[in-house]
Amino acid sequence: MNYKRKWIITIVSLIILLIFSIAGCTSVGPVYIPFTDVFKIILSRLFFFHSYIETDYEEAWYIIIWDIRLPQVILGVLVGVALSCAGTTMQGLFKNPLADPFIIGVSAGAALGAAVAVTIGESYFSVDTFFLAPLLSFISALLSVYLVYNIARTQGRISVNNLLLAGIAVNFFLSALTSLLIYIYITDARSVMHWLIGSLGASSWNDIKLVAPIIIIGIAVLMVYSKDLNIMLLGEETAINLGVNVERVKKIMLFFATLITAAAVSVSGIIGFVGLMIPHIMRLIVGPDHRILLPASALAGGIFLIWCDAIARIAIPPAQIPVALITAIIGGPFFIYLLWRRKYKTGGG
Amino acid sequence: MADLAVTNLSFSYDRTRVLKDIDFKIKSGELVGIIGPNGSGKTTLLRCITNTLPFSEGTITLDGVNIRSYTTRDIAKHIAVVPQGGSIEFGFSVKEIVLMGRHPHQGKFTFETKEDFQIVESSMKITRVEKFKDKMVQQLSGGEFQRVLIARALAQRPEILLLDEPTTHLDISHQLEIMDIMSSLNSEKGITILGVFHDLNLAARYCRRLLMIHRGRLVADGSLEDVLTPANLSRVFNINSIVRRNPITNNLFIDPISTLAAVRSSRITYGLDVENGISQAGKEQKIKSKPKLKKIHIICGAGTGSSLMKKLVDEDLAITAGVLNVLDQDHQSAEALKIPTVSEAAFSPISKKSHKMNLELVDNADVVILTDVPFGTANRLNLQAVEHAAEKGKPVIIYEPRKKHDINKRDFTQGWATKKYKELYSSSKIVHSLENLVKILTRSK
């Protein structure tokens, strides 16, 4: 009862904040477009509202908002939501405050996939890597996690410690392969850099159509298991004794956390710190209960990332800095601050 | 109904057998303790019962149904576990932790029902944690947290409670508090309890039946009297102990005297074993032990020799004692320390036969020690035995650690003993402290 009210208040207020952030971030850019006009343009596209909206804004603004900024902001929400939801899940599963969405090899796998795509594109077929790179990075992210998972598995069980160590080892190995590819084959390293230092610059509605279903389904599944994740914070054996099928929950949660991370990385490249920092902040605010923490982190991750992206757009106009740099510049000092606050504890660790 | 049957259970961790052919049945409503030394497999057994560990051989059934055919969730509806407690580092409130006990009964998508909250409230009331239900668990003391864990287990509404050393981290009053709760759950709510205990006396106080596990095997199963015998304790725990009944509570309690390693070495140094080198162990020990040993005969009684015997056994000296009445405290001590002793029936005067055997031991000894035992008509022959030693020229040590406890205060023979003592005082060494006595005995070794 108490919990239900807390859930509703937290989630509703975050959703309202998200809606205003979307509008706010869309109005921010080299060309300033008033907040109200942003709302009008967005609402005019929605079939229910369009007849009531006066189209008294400039034609060019419509293109800037609808074709350029809005897809970037929406994709930013999706990526932020996915990364911080996956980060919360990983921290809970690993009971480790340093766990993030990339801890078991997603990032290194994605980067290698992208590098392979660029290599193929450049040296053999001279095809456009525009479509190939996201696809290969998605596939190789999943494959690398599958590799880590199988290395860590002993006698049909996965120990989180093994998983952590295997993740580190595979990360190093695949990163080395990526560097090797860049060093030998790739003449324009910037095309791979797009994956190593993630950005939302080249977002389109097509990207959204591609990843939105995966991310939404993934988060829904993770939320279904949030109660089990709470109990697993008390230790695996205790969780089993309380009726949680620990091995199955671990497998499912690892799979979907990886899936949404890979989907995010395939469209934006690697954006660090969102999935590490947002779960920590939200845990301080709403507590360790994953039934609230997971959706709250997800929404907060979306809000955080689009504001970071807004900064990336206006910091040195007209150029766009990769958003991953902004998250790292904000995230690094913030994390040091967290370390100072010794009394803060992560879920169980 | 909550009948648990374990049949031919074996379990191995990476080819090391941890449990071998475990066989027992527990009926609904029993309170059973599992005891055994560290690493004997007690906790592994519990984990097999909760299906946390995949056991290789044997079957475990709950109400006749194989535990393997239950889902994790279904087992949790019948069996709850109270773990050891220990570190507490999560940011959940007491109520939230107890509410997790409802998990096996809840659906994936539903919120907690009114019934869930009622069960949680009543579970918290039973273990008296409702006063601090909104506190964060990391703010609780060890005893309070343990009660929260019990409340969580109760919220599962189990028929069987498994305890995994639930009082390990607690002080004695909290240990009793927790076990009193367990005991009333068993007697009032009819919950079957099977618990692993480290503390034998705690197990003896609360359990009605014990399973003793040693090196993965069930070596004893039965009532307290049948399981907690000095023989079992020495075989399984390697301790040398006296099992008594507390005269007030009437509970059995185990009074450990020494580890068996100490006793073994004292036995080997004693005459026969060393000289004949009977056992292999004896042969190995023979090299280590001093070649020429003093044999010491102790004349004591009424507890005046107990600490002395223990000390001398610890010092690896070869000791005999006599004549001691059965039920005499010194007799119990000598028996527990495995000291060769001439025994006399309880409360009886020393018989001629016993006296003769005692004299033999005196003759065989190199030193005779006389403690400050009271003398009466029943044991005057013991004083004659000392006299006999003095006459034969054997060194006699009179050990009198207590001040103002000289012979006239403990002479119940109308002056006869006092007279004898006068002669003895002049011819023998008098020692007042145990340290000095040990020094004298070991110096001349």
Side-chain angles (χ1 to χ4, degrees), chain A residues 1-4 6-7 95 155 157 220 223-225 227-246 248-249 287-291 345-349, chain B residues 14 43 47 50-54 72-76 79-81 83 89-92 95-97 99-104 106-114 117 134 152-153 156 164:
Chain A
M1 282 174 258
N2 191 358
Y3 155 76
K4 241 189 260 179
K6 190 176 169 187
W7 197 93
K95 285 197 258 168
Q155 293 174 344
R157 288 176 183 232
M223 278 172 62
V224 167
Y225 286 94
K227 204 152 84 178
D228 302 66
L229 193 56
N230 280 346
I231 295 173
M232 280 163 65
L233 283 183
L234 310 186
E236 289 192 6
E237 201 175 330
T238 300
I240 294 173
N241 293 336
L242 288 168
V244 176
N245 192 335
V246 169
R248 201 179 69 194
V249 173
D289 187 339
H290 283 99
R291 291 175 299 178
K345 296 241 166 73
T346 44
Chain B
D14 300 328
T43 302
R47 287 183 180 152
T50 55
N51 218 358
T52 319
L53 286 177
T72 315
R73 186 177 281 262
D74 281 337
I75 292 176
I79 302 177
V81 179
E89 290 200 33
F90 3 88
F92 289 104
K95 197 176 162 188
E96 283 168 331
I97 291 282
L99 205 48
M100 288 182 188
R102 295 303 299 154
H103 180 265
Q106 291 166 341
K108 270 238 172 318
F109 300 99
T110 52
F111 285 98
E112 281 85 10
T113 61
K114 233 182 200 149
F117 283 108
D134 294 318
R152 187 185 68 198
Q156 286 174 254
D164 188 2

Side-chain angles (χ1 to χ4, degrees), chain B residues 62-171:
Chain B
L62 178 65
D63 291 334
V65 181
N66 193 327
I67 205 104
R68 286 272 179 84
S69 59
Y70 284 85
T71 62
T72 315
R73 186 177 281 262
D74 281 337
I75 292 176
K77 285 179 191 169
H78 298 278
I79 302 177
V81 179
V82 179
Q84 282 189 14
S87 69
I88 318 158
E89 290 200 33
F90 3 88
F92 289 104
S93 71
V94 168
K95 197 176 162 188
E96 283 168 331
I97 291 282
V98 178
L99 205 48
M100 288 182 188
R102 295 303 299 154
H103 180 265
H105 300 274
Q106 291 166 341
K108 270 238 172 318
F109 300 99
T110 52
F111 285 98
E112 281 85 10
T113 61
K114 233 182 200 149
E115 194 202 355
D116 288 332
F117 283 108
Q118 278 164 3
I119 290 172
V120 165
E121 289 291 330
S122 76
S123 306
M124 290 196 294
K125 205 163 273 171
I126 291 169
T127 63
R128 298 192 306 281
V129 297
E130 79 274 21
K131 284 163 293 191
F132 40 85
K133 62 179 175 191
D134 294 318
K135 255 196 184 178
M136 291 289 144
V137 281
Q138 62 267 36
Q139 294 171 288
L140 304 182
S141 73
E144 289 169 339
F145 183 56
Q146 201 60 40
R147 275 167 22 221
V148 171
L149 295 183
I150 298 171
R152 187 185 68 198
L154 290 180
Q156 286 174 254
R157 282 286 156 104
E159 291 135 19
I160 299 176
L161 264 184
L162 300 184
L163 317 179
D164 188 2
E165 296 173 22
T167 60
T168 303
H169 302 284
L170 305 179
D171 63 45

